[in-house]
């Protein structure tokens, strides 16, 4: 069977395209440094968040020197904290966000960063980031969650260390002694 010259050319171009597509997908998956939000955050009872030791009092917890954990509850149509009061963290810190929803599926996207998580009732999304510079970031909900979805937004303020105080923490005792953060589950285990 003889294959026409042009047909060979098009077959070659098609194969090249397929290789190119696979290449872009592979790059997006492993080359771009994108870390997917997985199930490591675990689950919570979406109907009993008030009883949860951290989601019951959502906010910023210090867990080590320059290490913070921020618990955020998303609900129609606000982030707590984030919307009525901004999330405040000091610059030069590593921050792990734990985000969950008390009602329907929301989104948690921090504009200008690669933080982007779907927030599912009963499921905790964990995202860890390092904030180096002082600046404000906008948070938006990017999953349609109801009539006022488009108004659901918040703010993260990365402030200088000097402007960050124990008043910004849900566990101010941890702040008093930087070398011995007391409210960290791991630290408690070490103490025992
Ligand atoms: Cu919450 Cu859209």
């Amino acid at each position: 069977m003889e294959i026409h010259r042009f047909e060979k050319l098009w077959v070659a171009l098609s194969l090249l395209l397929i290789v190119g597509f696979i290449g872009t997908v592979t790059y997006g998956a492993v080359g771009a440094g994108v870390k997917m939000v997985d199930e490591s955050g675990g689950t919570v009872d979406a109907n009993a968040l008030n009883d949860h030791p951290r989601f019951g009092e959502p906010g910023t917890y210090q867990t080590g020197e320059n290490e913070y954990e921020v618990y955020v509850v998303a609900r129609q149509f606000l982030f707590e904290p984030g919307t009525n009061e901004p999330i405040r963290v000091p610059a030069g810190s590593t921050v792990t966000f734990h985000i969950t929803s008390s009602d329907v599926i929301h989104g948690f996207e921090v504009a200008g960063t690669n933080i982007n998580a779907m927030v599912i009732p009963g499921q905790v999304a964990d995202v860890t980031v390092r904030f180096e510079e002082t600046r404000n970031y906008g948070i938006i909900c990017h999953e349609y969650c109801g009539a006022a979805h488009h108004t659901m937004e918040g703010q993260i303020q990365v402030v200088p260390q000097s402007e960050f105080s124990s008043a910004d923490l849900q566990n101010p005792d941890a702040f008093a002694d930087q070398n011995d953060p007391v409210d960290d589950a791991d630290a408690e285990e070490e103490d025992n």
Side-chain angles (χ1 to χ4, degrees):
M1 185 181 74
E2 190 186 329
I3 302 174
H4 194 275
R5 192 158 53 92
F6 280 121
E7 191 146 8
K8 280 182 186 167
L9 182 66
W10 284 111
V11 167
L13 284 175
S14 305
L15 288 175
L16 202 64
L17 263 182
I18 291 169
V19 170
F21 287 147
I22 292 172
T24 56
V25 169
T26 306
Y27 174 76
V30 296
V34 175
K35 187 173 175 297
M36 297 302 290
V37 176
D38 57 22
E39 293 179 356
S40 63
T43 58
V44 287
D45 183 350
N47 295 316
L49 289 182
N50 285 339
D51 299 331
H52 189 277
R54 295 289 174 88
F55 286 115
E57 289 183 67
T60 304
Y61 290 80
Q62 183 165 15
T63 54
E65 195 178 355
N66 298 324
E67 281 180 30
Y68 299 85
E69 301 202 15
V70 179
Y71 287 76
V72 182
V73 176
R75 65 168 63 96
Q76 290 169 323
F77 294 97
L78 54 85
F79 298 102
E80 183 189 356
T83 300
N84 292 330
E85 47 173 339
I87 296 168
R88 277 167 63 89
V89 292
S93 62
T94 301
V95 180
T96 299
F97 292 94
H98 305 277
I99 315 136
T100 194
S101 165
S102 63
D103 43 36
V104 300
I105 292 178
H106 296 277
F108 185 86
E109 178 178 350
V110 182
T113 73
N114 62 357
I115 304 172
N116 183 321
M118 186 186 263
V119 183
I120 302 166
Q123 187 78 39
V124 180
D126 282 1
V127 189
T128 299
V129 283
R130 184 151 175 87
F131 289 112
E132 297 290 359
E133 300 169 11
T134 59
R135 62 168 281 189
N136 292 345
Y137 295 93
I139 309 168
I140 54 170
C141 174
H142 59 72
E143 297 283 346
Y144 182 76
C145 54
H149 155 71
H150 61 286
T151 68
M152 187 166 167
E153 59 183 14
Q155 197 182 57
I156 297 173
Q157 295 178 348
V158 183
V159 300
Q161 289 274 359
S162 57
E163 291 179 24
F164 193 80
S165 74
S166 59
D168 296 311
L169 291 174
Q170 292 290 357
N171 60 341
D173 292 347
F175 192 86
D177 188 350
Q178 292 267 358
N179 296 321
D180 185 22
V182 293
D183 204 20
D184 183 26
D186 299 331
E188 280 168 17
E189 276 173 19
E190 285 166 19
D191 290 340
N192 291 336

